[in-house]
Amino acid sequence: MALFSSLSKSKQAQAPLPGLSLGVLVGNIALLWVWAQIPVWYRSGSADLDAYATFWDAWLGAAAISAMLLLTNAAVLYWATLPLALPHLEEAGPVDKAQFWKHHFVFWLCVSFHLVCLAFAGWLALTILTKGWHWPF
C-alpha cells in the first residue's frame, strides 16, 4: 500500500510536459485537416457527382463540423490546456527558464486553438442563420 501512495505523490508533483501537450494539439489539428480532406480524396476516386455531393453534404455539414470542433476542443482542453494551466509548477519545485517558456508557449498555442475554433464556430452559426439555413461553402 505504501508503494502506491509514494507513486501517486511523485506523479502529482511532476510538472506537465509541454511536449506531450504540443503533441495532443498537433494531433488534433492533423485530425481536423485529414477529416476535411476526405471528401477531396473521395472525389479523386469517384466519377459519380451525385454520390459525391451527398457525401460532401453529410461529411462537411454543419452538424458534422460542429461535432468535430467540439470533440477536438474537448480533447485539447482535457489533455493539453488544463494540465498546463493547473498550478503544477509550484508543486514540482524550481524549473529552468527554457522549460518555463516552453510551458507557456504551448499553453498559449492551445488557448489560441480554442479561440480560433470558437470564432470559426460562431462565424459558421451566424452565416448559416443569415443565409436561411444554407451552407456557406
Side-chain angles (χ1 to χ4, degrees), residues 112-125:
S112 300
F113 174 79
H114 295 300
L115 292 175
V116 167
C117 286
L118 181 64
F120 179 73
W123 172 82
L124 184 63

Side-chain angles (χ1 to χ4, degrees), residues 4-22:
F4 293 118
S5 64
S6 66
L7 286 175
S8 64
K9 286 180 186 176
S10 66
K11 188 171 185 166
Q12 288 174 352
Q14 183 180 8
L17 298 174
L20 178 63
S21 297
L22 184 61

